[in-house]
Amino acid sequence: MNKLKVYALTFILSGFTFANSNRATASIAPSIETQVNEVTQWFTGNFDNSVQVANNPRVPLIDLSTCSVELAGGNQDMNTQNIFLKQQSDVFERNSFYSFSEGNNIVNLGVRSVINPEVLSGICNRPKSERIVNFSNLVPVSCDLEITYEPNFYTGNNAPDGCATSSGGKVVSQVTIRENSIDALDQIFNAQGDLIVNTPIKYRRIASVPEPQMIFGFLAISLWSAKKVLSLKQSKK
C-alpha cells in the first residue's frame, strides 16, 4: 500500500472515530436534577388531543391542563417538582397530583388521586403563591412510574404490574413526554384480568392566549404607530 492510500485510510478512520465520538457526546444524559426540571417544564401547560380526534373521531376529545403547585404537609425529597393535573371530557373529569423527583439514574414519578377536587377548582388560575395542595387531600398510596431520559424525550411505564384499582383490577400506564406533546396509554384491566380500556391518547400543546392586558397593550401600540405614520404623511404634504 502506497503512502497516499495509507494517509487517505487514516483520514477516513479518524473522521469516523470523530463522528462516533460526537454522537456519544450528544447522547450523554444530563444530570438527574436537570432531567427533573426539564421533564416537569415540558409536562406543564395546556394540551388537548384534537389533532388525534380529527384523524379518528372514535377517540374522545380530552382537555389536559397542568400547573406547578406546592405541597403542604407530607415528606418529599429535595428538588421534587409537584404538578396539579386536570383531564376533562364530555363524560369525565379527573384530577391528579404528580410528583417528579430524583431517582437512581432515572426520574421518579408518583401519581396520587385527589380526594376532594372541589377544593382545588381553578387552582391553575390562581397566583403561583396560592397554588397549594394539602397532603390530607391526596390519596396516601401513589401509583409510581420510572421516567427514563432519551435524546429529545422522556419515556416511562410501570408494566407489567401496574397499579391496583379500587375494583380489584389494575392500571398499566405508559407515557412519552416531549417539549410540546404527551402521549399516554392507560391499559385498564378488571378483576378477572380482562383488558377493558386500551386507547392511547396523543396530547399536543395548545398555544397560550395572551392576557387581556397584553392584548390591549398590543392594540394601543398598533394605534399609536398608525397615528404616527399618518402624522408624518400629513407633515410632508
Side-chain angles (χ1 to χ4, degrees):
M1 184 181 293
N2 59 40
K3 290 185 178 181
L4 180 59
K5 290 183 178 179
V6 171
Y7 293 150
L9 181 59
T10 302
F11 176 78
I12 292 171
L13 288 175
S14 62
F16 179 77
T17 303
F18 179 74
N20 277 292
S21 176
N22 279 348
R23 289 195 199 98
T25 302
S27 63
I28 292 175
S31 68
I32 297 300
E33 180 182 0
T34 300
Q35 291 183 40
V36 170
N37 294 332
E38 182 173 64
V39 71
T40 304
Q41 181 182 358
W42 290 0
F43 197 76
T44 303
N46 297 316
F47 304 79
D48 69 20
N49 66 328
S50 56
V51 175
Q52 180 186 18
V53 173
N55 295 323
N56 183 3
R58 291 178 297 177
V59 176
L61 177 63
I62 305 174
D63 292 315
L64 172 67
S65 61
T66 66
C67 63
S68 61
V69 295
E70 294 294 329
L71 179 66
N75 296 319
Q76 288 193 316
D77 296 330
M78 293 289 293
N79 194 35
T80 297
Q81 303 291 327
N82 299 312
I83 298 291
F84 178 80
L85 177 146
K86 179 179 179 179
Q87 292 171 292
Q88 189 169 15
S89 74
D90 291 338
V91 294
F92 76 89
E93 180 178 313
R94 184 178 297 119
N95 297 273
S96 304
F97 183 85
Y98 281 57
S99 293
F100 294 88
S101 60
E102 298 179 20
N104 185 16
N105 294 321
I106 58 166
V107 175
N108 290 322
L109 171 58
V111 182
R112 287 181 168 87
S113 298
V114 177
I115 297 173
N116 184 4
E118 293 182 3
V119 175
L120 302 175
S121 177
I123 189 172
C124 288
N125 296 324
R126 304 174 192 173
K128 190 172 182 179
S129 60
E130 298 178 14
R131 297 180 200 160
I132 300 173
V133 177
N134 289 308
F135 185 76
S136 60
N137 196 22
L138 302 176
V139 173
V141 179
S142 66
C143 183
D144 300 332
L145 289 82
E146 294 184 346
I147 305 297
T148 304
Y149 169 86
E150 298 288 348
N152 301 318
F153 68 95
Y154 293 85
T155 183
N157 68 79
N158 55 10
D161 296 332
C163 295
T165 64
S166 58
S167 60
K170 68 176 182 179
V171 180
V172 177
S173 300
Q174 302 176 35
V175 64
T176 300
I177 303 168
R178 293 182 171 84
E179 187 172 7
N180 292 305
S181 68
I182 302 171
D183 294 338
L185 172 61
D186 288 330
Q187 296 178 303
I188 303 177
F189 298 83
N190 61 19
Q192 291 72 42
D194 301 319
L195 181 62
I196 57 177
V197 175
N198 188 34
T199 302
I201 304 298
K202 300 180 181 298
Y203 297 105
R204 298 296 177 262
R205 188 179 298 278
I206 301 171
S208 59
V209 178
E211 296 290 334
Q213 295 89 340
M214 294 179 65
I215 295 174
F216 293 141
F218 294 149
L219 181 59
I221 292 173
S222 298
L223 291 174
W224 178 83
S225 299
K227 184 177 179 180
K228 187 174 182 180
V229 170
L230 289 174
S231 299
L232 288 173
K233 287 184 177 179
Q234 290 175 357
S235 63
K236 292 179 178 178
K237 289 182 179 180

